[in-house]
Amino acid sequence: MIRVLAIDDEPLALQQLATYIKKIPFLELVTECQSAIEAKEILNNENIDAIFCDINMPDLNGMDFVKSLSTPPLIVFTTAYSEYAVEGFKVDAVDYLLKPFGLDDFKRAANRLQERLEVRQQEPATTIVSSEDDSIFVKTDYRVVKIAISDIRYIEGMSEYLKIHLESLPKPIVTLLSMKKMEEFLPTHFMRIHRSYIINLKKIQEVNKNRVIMDSETYLPIGDNYKDAFNDYLSKKFLGK
C-alpha cells in the first residue's frame, strides 16, 4: 500500500480528492489537511509515501511547501492554473492534475506513483555489507563506501532510503536501507528521536523544546513516540536543578 496525504484548502476539492484516493486499491489515505502548515505536523509523526497537494493555498502555497521539505515524499500537484506545470516538474513532481480533473485522470497519476515506487525498489541493493568496531560499509552509487562511525552526525530516513550526514562531507551519502537495520549496526551513543531521524548524541549542540539542534542550520524534531527515551537520556546527563 502507498500511504498518501491529501492537501487542499477548499473543503469540496479536498473531499473529492479523498474520495478518489479511496477508490484506488493500492492507495491508503492517512489523513486530509486543509493547509500545508497542518501537513507539516502530520509529516513529523507519520510515514507518508506520497502527497496529493494543491498549489494555491493561503499562508504557505503547495510549491513552497514541497521545496521546504528536506526529504519530500512523492508529489502529485493539483491546481486550477496550468502555468504551474513547468515549475511543478522542476521539483520532480510525479504528475500534475489540472482542475477540474476526473477519476480517469486521477487513476493515471496514481499509476505513475506506483510505477515510480516500483522503479525505486528495483534499483540495486545498497545495504550495509560489513561492520567493524569503528566503521561501517555501505553500498551507494554502485560503490562500497567505508564510513567512520565517529564521522556520522545524523541519519535521515526518506521512504526506503537513508541519508547519512557526515562531518567530513558537504553532501550526505544516500543508501537503500531501513532505519531499523541501521539502528542494529550503530553503537549506543546513537538514538532514534523521530521516525525519520537517528542522531549521534555526541554531536548535539542544544535541545530547544521539541527540537534537537545539531548546528546553526540543522534543527531536528523529536517525535512523540521517542520523547520519553530521549528525555531519560537527558535526565542522566543533566547537571543542576
Side-chain angles (χ1 to χ4, degrees):
M1 294 289 286
I2 302 174
R3 291 169 56 82
V4 302
L5 184 63
I7 312 171
D8 200 306
D9 65 307
E10 298 177 6
L12 291 178
L14 185 59
Q15 181 181 5
Q16 182 193 50
L17 193 55
T19 299
Y20 284 167
I21 290 171
K22 292 173 183 177
K23 288 180 180 291
I24 307 299
F26 54 82
L27 297 184
E28 175 189 350
L29 178 62
V30 176
T31 192
E32 308 164 29
C33 299
Q34 287 191 263
S35 73
I37 295 172
E38 180 186 355
K40 275 197 169 187
E41 292 296 321
I42 299 298
L43 287 173
N44 284 336
N45 295 288
E46 294 286 348
N47 184 21
I48 304 296
D49 298 311
I51 299 175
F52 289 86
C53 183
D54 185 28
I55 292 179
N56 291 281
M57 295 185 290
D59 298 325
L60 179 63
N61 71 52
M63 194 69 66
D64 291 337
F65 163 63
V66 171
K67 290 177 180 178
S68 73
L69 300 176
S70 58
T71 55
L74 297 178
I75 303 295
V76 174
F77 283 119
T78 65
T79 184
Y81 300 92
S82 59
E83 62 266 25
Y84 284 110
V86 173
E87 189 176 356
F89 286 109
K90 283 182 180 179
V91 296
D92 197 30
V94 174
D95 208 346
Y96 177 94
L97 290 169
L98 185 62
K99 296 178 181 180
F101 54 86
L103 182 58
D104 287 342
D105 292 326
F106 185 85
K107 285 180 178 178
R108 179 200 71 214
N111 287 333
R112 287 184 176 176
L113 277 178
Q114 188 178 45
E115 290 169 2
R116 180 76 68 89
L117 282 176
E118 287 175 351
V119 167
R120 285 186 176 182
Q121 292 168 359
Q122 292 169 3
E123 291 176 353
T126 52
T127 58
I128 293 177
V129 295
S130 182
S131 68
E132 297 177 353
D133 291 340
D134 60 354
S135 64
I136 57 175
F137 293 81
V138 300
K139 288 184 179 179
T140 180
D141 297 331
Y142 304 97
R143 300 175 296 132
V144 177
V145 179
K146 182 178 180 180
I147 300 173
I149 289 176
S150 61
D151 194 26
I152 300 173
R153 298 174 59 241
Y154 67 97
I155 296 153
E156 182 178 3
M158 38 182 286
S159 189
E160 67 271 29
Y161 288 84
L162 298 181
K163 284 184 177 180
I164 305 173
H165 296 262
L166 307 175
E167 287 192 334
S168 61
L169 295 176
K171 292 184 179 180
I173 291 175
V174 179
T175 186
L176 179 59
L177 191 67
S178 69
M179 293 286 276
K180 183 178 179 181
K181 188 69 173 178
M182 177 60 81
E183 283 183 283
E184 293 174 359
F185 275 83
L186 293 172
T188 56
H189 61 272
F190 283 83
M191 179 179 287
R192 191 166 182 176
I193 61 165
H194 187 275
R195 65 178 181 82
S196 298
Y197 295 105
I198 298 171
I199 64 169
N200 185 340
L201 297 168
K202 295 181 178 181
K203 308 292 186 182
I204 295 175
Q205 289 190 0
E206 186 179 332
V207 179
N208 189 334
K209 295 182 179 178
N210 292 325
R211 299 182 302 177
V212 173
I213 301 173
M214 306 300 289
D215 57 49
S216 61
E217 297 180 352
T218 308
Y219 294 69
L220 305 181
I222 303 171
D224 292 339
N225 294 334
Y226 304 91
K227 284 181 181 178
D228 290 344
F230 185 70
N231 287 335
D232 285 344
Y233 164 78
L234 285 182
S235 65
K236 294 174 182 177
K237 300 288 184 179
F238 187 74
L239 299 179
K241 297 181 180 180

